Amino acid sequence: MMGKTIHRITLLGCYNSMASTLFGPMDIFNQAGRLWNRLGKLPQTPFFEVSIASADGRPIRCLNNVMVQPHCSIDAVDETDLIVIASATYIDRILTTGPALVPWIRRQYARGAHVASICTGVFLLAETGLLDGRSATLHWGFADQFRSRYPRVNLDLDRMFIDHGRLYCAAGANAGMDLSLYLVEKFCGRQTAVQCAKTMVLDMGRETQRPYGAFLLSKAHGDPVVASVQAWMEDHHTEAVDYDHLAASQRISRRSLERRFKQATGYTPLGYLQQLRIESAKRLLEDGRHTVAEIADLVGYADISFFRKIFVKLTGLQPRAYQARFGGYGSAGRGMARSADGVPSTVGKCDF
């Protein structure tokens, strides 16, 4: 633990930042050493001095159209121990209206500041070049846009957040809360972080965002043959696929199909089929009206063990664990669901 040193944190808000990516971390850092002590009737010992800054000191128009009045402009921040960049999806507008942002972040980092990004805030962090040759994560829905713009950054969507020593990034808005707790631990010690998590009723230890992702069926690659095959597979993904016949229907060889498919989509035809089937399985699990065995059969897998293996590979969870997390309150309220062999079992119970 680093004693009672007060660490200076600057939360950087940008045009269309999601308000929770500003206020979520702010609440966690502000309550470190305060709320636990208050509830225990002990003297409050804050560890952080937190301020919100914008490029020019003017109000920040957030994604929900709420105006946030910052404490200062970045020019007023001579030194800070940690910069936390809130979500920053509209990066071109942000750079145009705040040309001083990138050099300011670089300058603060060179002076020893830690720099973290939350969700699409990693776009602004990547603009500094500090992530070149390093890994990064962000919300899964913006992966293609990020890869296209920053090819020198190695995107790792499995990670909830990443630590490079003094550079950090978090996958999404709630992942920003995970990262904030992690940074409390890094700056103040495990006990303080655990106290924060308990008093704010937050989970600790989430490591992957794979369960939260969705397979986005993009056909914007410009290859009409591949787009035709994708459309066919989406309509027939529960059926057995003869790839030779599928290639012949497009008047190309199977080898050419596999090469073009991989180049256009990033997946092999088999990998694409597995993604389609698992997406269907996820929807059925969320609905909660079928057993795992029934779902495996409905999406095209005769072998339930193989289905579980593919499901875990693509989501990071067993099917029942996925259902427990995303089945909704209605599923939890029903209390009971059938097991794979039809015997009643508690919803959320693991398959093994």
Side-chain angles (χ1 to χ4, degrees):
M1 183 168 174
M2 300 176 68
K4 293 185 180 179
T5 301
I6 302 296
H7 305 284
R8 295 159 297 181
I9 296 182
T10 304
L11 300 171
L12 180 59
C14 303
Y15 169 74
N16 243 32
S17 285
M18 187 176 290
S20 60
T21 62
L22 279 170
F23 293 126
M26 187 176 199
D27 287 340
I28 289 176
F29 292 126
N30 268 331
Q31 293 302 331
R34 282 192 169 102
L35 185 55
W36 177 272
N37 293 29
R38 177 187 171 191
L39 295 176
K41 296 180 173 53
L42 300 170
Q44 296 184 35
T45 56
F47 289 94
F48 300 100
E49 180 182 287
V50 188
S51 61
I52 295 177
S54 66
D56 53 11
R58 295 180 180 179
I60 303 157
R61 182 179 293 277
C62 290
L63 182 62
N64 52 12
N65 213 30
V66 168
M67 303 298 290
V68 174
Q69 178 62 56
H71 296 97
C72 61
S73 71
I74 57 173
D75 290 336
V77 182
D78 292 328
E79 290 186 40
T80 187
D81 297 307
L82 170 65
I83 299 167
V84 180
I85 306 170
S87 63
T89 307
Y90 294 86
I91 187 63
D92 289 320
R93 176 164 180 170
I94 290 166
L95 294 173
T96 299
T97 57
L101 285 169
V102 168
W104 177 76
I105 294 169
R106 286 182 183 145
R107 187 165 60 251
Q108 292 293 341
Y109 182 76
R111 291 176 177 174
H114 296 238
V115 183
S117 65
I118 297 176
C119 192
T120 51
V122 74
F123 279 80
L124 183 54
L125 181 54
E127 286 289 333
T128 67
L130 295 173
L131 289 177
D132 287 357
R134 301 176 188 265
S135 59
T137 190
L138 83 161
H139 187 286
W140 53 267
F142 296 89
D144 289 344
Q145 182 182 345
F146 186 87
R147 286 192 183 100
S148 176
R149 188 173 182 119
Y150 309 106
R152 295 182 180 179
V153 182
N154 304 313
L155 202 55
D156 184 357
L157 292 182
D158 276 355
R159 304 286 295 280
M160 192 65 76
F161 61 83
I162 292 175
D163 175 0
H164 286 301
R166 287 195 297 121
L167 293 172
Y168 318 85
C169 47
N174 275 358
M177 307 286 273
D178 295 83
L179 177 58
S180 299
L181 282 173
Y182 174 80
L183 290 170
V184 169
E185 180 174 353
K186 187 165 184 174
F187 279 86
C188 309
R190 179 70 176 175
Q191 182 180 7
T192 302
V194 170
Q195 290 171 353
C196 278
K198 288 183 176 181
T199 53
M200 301 191 74
V201 197
L202 296 170
D203 289 333
M204 298 184 74
R206 296 194 309 160
E207 296 181 352
T208 177
Q209 68 166 325
R210 267 187 295 165
Y212 303 89
F215 184 47
L216 304 178
L217 310 177
S218 174
K219 300 185 183 69
H221 44 69
D223 189 324
V225 168
V226 173
S228 177
V229 171
Q230 284 178 273
W232 186 91
M233 292 178 74
E234 288 157 21
D235 290 338
H236 301 272
H237 65 274
T238 62
E239 305 169 14
V241 178
D242 184 331
Y243 295 102
D244 291 314
H245 179 75
L246 189 56
S249 72
Q250 302 297 319
R251 299 180 180 178
I252 60 174
S253 68
R254 177 171 176 173
R255 183 175 180 181
S256 293
L257 172 62
E258 291 177 343
R259 175 182 56 79
R260 289 174 63 169
F261 202 98
K262 176 74 171 178
Q263 184 176 16
T265 69
Y267 295 93
T268 64
L270 175 60
Y272 195 81
L273 178 69
Q274 289 175 340
Q275 290 280 359
L276 290 170
R277 287 177 168 179
I278 296 306
E279 277 301 304
S280 291
K282 286 159 67 176
R283 303 293 84 78
L284 291 167
L285 284 165
E286 291 160 15
D287 182 64
R289 290 183 292 178
H290 299 279
T291 67
V292 173
E294 288 170 345
I295 291 171
D297 185 62
L298 285 169
V299 302
Y301 291 105
D303 185 340
I304 188 173
S305 296
F306 185 71
F307 165 70
R308 284 196 181 105
K309 179 180 178 181
I310 297 299
F311 194 93
V312 171
K313 176 183 176 183
L314 297 184
T315 71
L317 295 174
Q318 288 286 345
R320 285 288 184 212
Y322 181 91
Q323 185 180 60
R325 184 172 297 185
F326 298 106
Y329 297 112
S331 176
R334 285 193 293 272
M336 300 293 286
R338 290 176 295 162
S339 66
D341 57 5
V343 177
S345 60
T346 303
V347 170
K349 182 179 178 182
C350 228
D351 286 312
F352 297 118

